Amino acid sequence: MAGGFAGVEAGGGRAEQYEGRITPYFILACIVGSFGGSLFGYDLGVSSGVTSMDDFLIKFFPDVYNRKHAHLHETDYCKYDNQVLTLFTSSLYFAGLVSTFGASYVTKRHGRRGSIMVGAVSFFLGGAVNAAAVNVAMLIVGRVLLGVGIGFGNQAVPLYLSEIAPFRIRGAVNQLFQLTTCLGILVANVINYFTDRIHPWGWRLSLGLAVVPATAIFVGALFLPETPNSLVERGRLEEARRVLEKVRGTHKVDAEFEDLKVASEAARAVRGTFRNLLAVRNRPQLIIGALGIPAFQQLSGMNSILFYSPVIFQSLGFGSSAALYSSIITGSMLVVGALVSMVVVDRLGRRVLFMEAGAQMIASMVVVATILALKFGHGEELSKGVSTVLVVAICLFVVAYGWSWGPLGWLVPSELFPLEMRSAGQSVVVCVNLFWTAAVAQCFLAAMCHLRWGVFILFAALIVVMSVFVVLLLPETKQVPIEEIWLLFDKHWYWKRVVTKDPKYQGHHHRQEMAAAAAGAVKPVVTSE
């Protein structure tokens, strides 16, 4: 079983010397910064509802509208299987996938705050274009602009929150991103419920209201402090110390500030940050943070439910309004899960939440698949009792995801990368995440049509693989300072065998030790096994 080292002792540094308190300035920075998640959440929620609205389908996808009404009072796996309709959803994520590499440059050279502002502007433009759309081409252009906004926001916000937070509550602070994402989904679901009754332009209001969170984020970002980590990385040391003192509420920040400078000195010694991700000594960060967790977050099947919950419920025989109402329930469960996670993540740790939720999600998917296999697909409405069990099972799945893979899928990768590759690493995280988001969005309705209830068994099997991955390979990172997490892999039962094979491993650790010694920071770290 994988080993982890919680608490300040894990780092082997001087985290116990860090001082500070929760200040109003810090709270403001967290609120404004985390609000970037609302962009992602609002789009997830609003696109799922709009694609089930009759007025929207009549204007852009009349074939889907006709097929839907041919089976209006029947259960039918295939009534929404249309690749152009799913392209409306997935095009945003393909655009975000590409834009995240531009976001990496902006985040590294101009700061996390700059990327958040660029994302807000692009999201504003995308919402305006979608609201004014008169054809599918305009819809896709608007979605691409929204995707660029999400690419920048998702790249910068988790980094911002992880860097500005005290290490003891880093997990809860980072999960503000997931909380605002969930709130964005819930707000969008509520808006869709009411705009569905406004004919024939209610869908325009749903899509156009995306400009509201975008405007709020841009204005808030004007007053947002840059993270001390980013300022040190760019050589603005005096400003970095002033911000750190203001955020921590004390002038006694010598220990934390020196650690930031040590990490920055190590970062400057590294060239080719994207290429450096492939180095053997960084294999744990690559496998766990950049590839594994962001891919598994989407392969859990959660975003399929978020994208298409109204469509799924309508396919199961629910009416249009009932489907939108059911999506409000699932959105509420997601918010509940995020709040639970914020409370317990820095107490119980990341691994416990991953494992408990994995068992709950597997059981929920098996229940859904079993009911559908026995009761669904015969051209008849599901009974009220069976429909209730389905909604409950889906809600249990959603709430488990809400306290595990949802928030931790962003928190854990943002913790793992050392400063020299943090921006590049987060870009790969977002790229992989959005690739699988787009792939699942594009394929899910077709998979539901062809695999039928088997698609939920597929998701259950993938969650088994995800859970084993976490148990074996992820060390516990709770309450470990972000600049010391790389030391966990030296102690891990498996990764220590990998990182020590890198011919540059000793030199890398020697530079870390010398930089620390020059700053009077820590005792040399023993690197040999």
Side-chain angles (χ1 to χ4, degrees):
M1 186 170 172
F5 298 87
V8 296
E9 293 84 359
R14 48 182 181 168
E16 67 278 359
Q17 300 176 28
Y18 291 8
E19 296 190 36
R21 56 187 175 84
I22 304 301
T23 63
Y25 190 66
F26 167 73
I27 293 172
L28 175 64
C30 289
I31 292 173
V32 175
S34 65
F35 205 59
S38 66
L39 301 182
F40 192 30
Y42 187 84
D43 181 78
L44 283 172
V46 81
S47 60
S48 69
V50 164
T51 52
S52 70
M53 292 182 183
D54 285 350
D55 292 325
F56 178 81
L57 294 176
I58 289 170
K59 185 168 184 62
F60 298 107
F61 305 99
D63 291 343
V64 176
Y65 173 81
N66 293 332
R67 190 188 313 153
K68 168 186 172 181
H69 280 265
H71 300 276
L72 184 61
H73 300 294
E74 300 176 5
T75 57
D76 183 1
Y77 284 105
C78 299
K79 66 172 71 172
Y80 284 93
D81 182 21
N82 181 287
Q83 289 301 294
V84 179
L85 177 61
T86 52
L87 183 63
F88 166 76
T89 298
S90 61
S91 58
L92 178 147
Y93 304 101
F94 285 120
L97 183 157
V98 174
S99 68
T100 187
F101 292 103
S104 174
Y105 176 83
V106 174
T107 301
K108 186 175 179 65
R109 300 296 181 185
H110 303 286
R112 287 55 167 151
R113 175 174 170 268
S115 274
I116 293 172
M117 295 178 73
V118 171
V121 170
S122 184
F123 200 86
F124 180 96
L125 295 174
V129 171
N130 268 351
V134 295
N135 52 46
V136 174
M138 282 189 71
L139 282 180
I140 301 301
V141 169
R143 298 292 289 174
V144 168
L145 288 169
L146 291 170
V148 172
I150 285 177
F152 273 80
N154 286 13
Q155 204 274 347
V157 171
L159 286 186
Y160 184 91
L161 295 174
S162 286
E163 290 182 345
I164 206 163
F167 72 89
R168 290 184 178 85
I169 59 170
R170 186 179 62 246
V173 170
N174 184 275
Q175 289 190 7
L176 287 169
F177 176 75
Q178 179 68 12
L179 178 62
T180 57
T181 298
C182 297
L183 289 172
I185 292 170
L186 180 58
V187 169
N189 287 334
V190 173
I191 289 172
N192 284 337
Y193 181 77
F194 289 103
T195 58
D196 186 45
R197 305 177 182 186
I198 303 174
H199 303 288
W201 52 270
W203 61 270
R204 292 188 186 276
L205 184 59
S206 287
L207 295 176
L209 283 174
V211 304
V212 175
T215 301
I217 291 165
F218 182 84
V219 173
L222 295 175
F223 304 96
L224 200 65
E226 186 54 84
T227 69
N229 310 61
S230 176
L231 293 169
V232 170
E233 184 180 25
R234 290 180 283 151
R236 294 158 61 177
L237 299 182
E238 292 184 5
E239 184 180 355
R241 185 178 180 102
R242 286 198 303 271
V243 171
L244 186 61
E245 290 176 353
K246 194 170 184 180
V247 169
R248 298 290 181 257
T250 179
H251 295 295
K252 299 177 181 180
V253 296
D254 291 342
E256 185 172 1
F257 187 62
E258 289 302 322
D259 279 353
L260 293 181
K261 291 197 293 183
V262 167
S264 180
E265 288 299 320
R268 290 193 183 96
V270 175
R271 297 292 182 267
T273 51
F274 278 103
R275 185 175 65 251
N276 203 47
L277 282 171
L278 301 177
V280 173
R281 66 183 176 277
N282 297 320
R283 192 63 46 82
Q285 291 93 329
L286 176 67
I287 298 298
I288 302 174
L291 300 178
I293 288 179
F296 286 141
Q297 187 190 48
Q298 305 311 316
L299 293 173
S300 67
M302 180 62 224
N303 271 3
S304 299
I305 294 173
L306 291 181
F307 291 146
Y308 301 118
S309 56
V311 170
I312 290 172
F313 288 125
Q314 283 194 18
S315 297
L316 297 178
F318 291 67
S320 176
S321 295
L324 290 171
Y325 184 71
S326 298
S327 68
I328 293 174
I329 295 175
T330 58
S332 300
M333 291 297 99
L334 205 55
V335 172
V336 170
L339 290 171
V340 170
S341 189
M342 288 182 65
V343 172
V344 303
V345 67
D346 288 314
R347 300 176 185 175
L348 300 181
R350 286 63 163 151
R351 285 163 48 84
V352 170
L353 290 176
F354 272 131
M355 290 183 283
E356 184 284 328
Q360 185 170 324
M361 293 164 71
I362 292 166
S364 299
M365 286 292 96
V366 170
V367 169
V368 171
T370 301
I371 291 177
L372 295 184
L374 296 175
K375 300 290 186 180
F376 183 73
H378 305 295
E380 301 176 359
E381 269 194 90
L382 298 178
S383 69
K384 185 174 294 186
V386 171
S387 299
T388 301
V389 173
L390 276 175
V391 171
V392 169
I394 289 174
C395 285
L396 288 174
F397 176 90
V398 170
V399 76
Y401 177 91
W403 64 54
S404 61
W405 285 93
L408 301 183
W410 295 108
L411 167 61
V412 173
S414 73
E415 295 177 320
L416 296 183
F417 299 103
L419 182 62
E420 67 265 20
M421 65 181 69
R422 193 168 296 152
S423 180
Q426 186 67 13
S427 287
V428 177
V429 170
V430 175
C431 177
V432 172
N433 184 287
L434 292 180
F435 171 81
W436 287 106
T437 303
V440 170
Q442 190 66 30
C443 297
F444 175 71
L445 291 181
M448 190 168 74
C449 179
H450 295 288
L451 296 177
R452 299 178 178 264
W453 55 268
V455 71
F456 297 99
I457 293 295
L458 174 61
F459 285 136
L462 288 169
I463 296 168
V464 172
V465 175
M466 293 156 50
S467 300
V468 172
F469 177 88
V470 167
V471 169
L472 295 179
L473 298 181
L474 179 66
E476 182 54 68
T477 58
K478 71 171 181 179
Q479 297 190 2
V480 180
I482 194 169
E483 305 301 348
E484 298 180 0
I485 283 178
W486 60 276
L487 289 169
L488 296 176
F489 300 113
D490 293 353
K491 308 287 187 180
H492 189 271
W493 74 273
Y494 173 74
W495 291 121
K496 67 182 180 182
R497 308 174 193 177
V498 175
V499 297
T500 54
K501 292 180 181 179
D502 192 323
K504 297 182 180 180
Y505 174 79
Q506 295 294 339
H508 171 73
H509 282 247
H510 181 69
R511 285 195 301 272
Q512 292 274 0
E513 292 171 14
M514 292 303 100
V522 298
K523 296 180 291 184
V525 179
V526 178
T527 58
S528 59
E529 296 293 333

